Amino acid sequence: MNVFLKFKSPEHKEAYTQDHALHLQKRLRMIFLAFIFSVITLTIMFLMEGQSVTPAAAVFFPTKAAIILILAISIYFLSKKNSARIMKHINKINVVLDIMLSIVQFSYYPLVTSASTKGLGAMGVFTWIWANGFLYSHSLYLISNVWIRIVMTILQFSYFIMFTFLRETKAVPASVGALFTLIICVGWIYTHERYERLNFLEKRKAYENYEALKKIFDDVSQGIAIIDKNNYSSFYENHSLGRIFDSQAKVDWKWLSSRIKVRKITPSIEVIGKSRIVNDTENDGVIAISFELVLNLLFRKPHFI
């Protein structure tokens, strides 16, 4: 993965976007919560301010709630379909959704809405500002594309800094603080996304190693099974095992394991400590590695039979 968070392998990129159905379900629930919040905010605003609501705000907030509802309905129908056509254009669909959500969650104060701190003390103003900042930062989770998330954060800070210089007499201290916060926020977003992808690569590597071992076991002529030592359920059975036993019948591993006794291991090996295994002949290094793999797995939760 490079500095622009792009995967070097096309297979990794494809695998990273395969969970679109689950991702759409998550976004659907989050957008539905955003719609409920918008309706509650709109109701409280009209009840408290009444006739003092500006014409721009009277149009903006209902339009915002309507757009959120339309997005929720669109995502609902997309999540119900899992066709190849949708999979082919899923990245473009996510970009369009991200742009629409960015327009909705963007704060247009002071052009469209207004804010009054009359009747609030210093602590009240601080709490109000903190609550709004916390709400905006978490609304960024609605946007899946990390670069759109970063761009919208920069645009929002730039928008406020511009009006700070236009309307405040002492704009420099507030603007410097906002710029410092912007740098920290962008750094956090980038770092979080980078480590999310690195975590995915680690899990993908473990999965690919598992698939490689599975392919090796499938090609072995002997029957191999991985059994849970607690309840004797089968994690894995290779193809040869199906030819040894009736493939349609379920093997009673608890009964079978109670009747298995190891008489001899060839070539002979010596166990040193709990995990390291050394062959007593220097010419069988590869076989010793194979036995080390099998016996290490044997002493863990899965059991080889």
Side-chain angles (χ1 to χ4, degrees), residues 22 24-34 75 142:
L22 180 62
L24 286 175
Q25 288 288 338
K26 182 184 75 172
R27 295 181 81 178
L28 174 62
R29 285 165 172 77
M30 294 177 68
I31 291 174
F32 183 71
L33 290 174
I75 293 175
L142 293 170

Side-chain angles (χ1 to χ4, degrees), residues 94-106:
N94 279 327
V95 169
V96 173
L97 291 174
D98 285 342
I99 292 175
M100 294 298 296
L101 288 170
S102 300
I103 295 173
V104 169
Q105 63 95 37
F106 194 87

Side-chain angles (χ1 to χ4, degrees), residues 21-289:
L22 180 62
H23 189 66
L24 286 175
Q25 288 288 338
K26 182 184 75 172
R27 295 181 81 178
L28 174 62
R29 285 165 172 77
M30 294 177 68
I31 291 174
F32 183 71
L33 290 174
F35 172 72
I36 295 176
F37 174 79
S38 299
V39 172
I40 294 174
T41 303
L42 183 64
T43 304
I44 293 175
M45 182 184 70
F46 278 102
L47 289 176
M48 293 183 63
E49 298 187 12
Q51 300 296 329
S52 61
V53 177
T54 62
V59 175
F60 172 74
F61 283 104
T63 304
K64 181 178 179 180
I67 294 175
I68 294 174
L69 180 60
I70 293 172
L71 287 174
I73 295 173
S74 302
I75 293 175
Y76 173 78
F77 284 107
L78 285 173
S79 62
K80 293 298 181 182
K81 296 181 179 181
N82 196 20
S83 62
R85 186 176 180 182
I86 293 179
M87 280 293 298
K88 183 179 179 181
H89 302 286
I90 188 63
N91 290 329
K92 295 178 181 178
I93 292 173
N94 279 327
V95 169
V96 173
L97 291 174
D98 285 342
I99 292 175
M100 294 298 296
L101 288 170
S102 300
I103 295 173
V104 169
Q105 63 95 37
F106 194 87
S107 177
Y108 298 93
Y109 173 83
L111 288 181
V112 178
T113 59
S114 60
S116 176
T117 58
K118 293 180 180 180
L120 296 177
M123 193 63 203
V125 173
F126 182 83
T127 303
W128 175 258
I129 294 172
W130 174 259
N132 280 273
F134 204 72
L135 177 65
Y136 176 80
S137 64
H138 279 72
S139 69
L140 290 175
Y141 286 105
L142 293 170
I143 303 173
S144 62
N145 189 291
V146 62
W147 296 113
I148 295 179
R149 206 181 307 160
I150 289 176
V151 168
M152 291 308 301
T153 302
I154 294 174
L155 288 177
Q156 185 70 84
F157 271 89
S158 302
Y159 177 85
F160 283 138
I161 290 173
M162 179 185 68
F163 277 98
T164 301
F165 274 101
L166 291 175
R167 300 197 175 190
E168 295 290 331
T169 55
K170 297 181 180 180
V172 175
S175 300
V176 171
L179 184 62
F180 176 75
T181 305
L182 171 62
I183 295 173
I184 296 297
C185 288
V186 170
W188 278 344
I189 294 172
Y190 177 86
T191 303
H192 177 268
E193 183 67 21
R194 181 173 180 83
Y195 277 91
E196 282 289 315
R197 299 193 177 211
L198 288 174
N199 184 44
F200 163 79
L201 288 176
E202 288 295 324
K203 292 180 179 178
R204 187 68 185 179
K205 183 179 178 181
Y207 172 77
E208 290 171 352
N209 291 338
Y210 162 77
E211 288 294 319
L213 286 174
K214 183 179 176 182
K215 188 177 185 305
I216 293 173
F217 292 156
D218 283 339
D219 294 336
V220 173
S221 59
Q222 287 79 16
I224 297 177
I226 304 178
I227 311 300
D228 188 341
K229 68 178 181 180
N230 296 319
N231 56 15
Y232 292 93
S233 60
S234 175
F235 286 112
Y236 167 77
E237 298 174 6
N238 71 342
H239 298 314
S240 299
L241 198 69
R243 293 192 294 267
I244 297 173
F245 298 96
D246 185 359
S247 58
Q248 301 299 324
K250 185 177 181 180
V251 181
D252 188 349
W253 293 109
K254 185 176 182 180
W255 176 86
L256 188 61
S257 61
S258 65
R259 284 155 177 77
I260 293 178
K261 294 182 180 179
V262 179
R263 294 184 177 181
K264 185 179 181 181
I265 297 178
T266 304
S268 58
I269 55 177
E270 179 184 356
V271 179
I272 300 178
K274 292 184 178 180
S275 60
R276 187 179 178 184
I277 298 174
V278 179
N279 199 301
D280 60 351
T281 58
E282 297 181 357
N283 297 325
D284 295 327
V286 175
I287 297 177
I289 293 175

Side-chain angles (χ1 to χ4, degrees), residues 286-298:
V286 175
I287 297 177
I289 293 175
S290 299
F291 270 104
E292 181 179 358
L293 171 64
V294 173
L295 291 181
N296 276 337
L297 290 173
L298 184 64

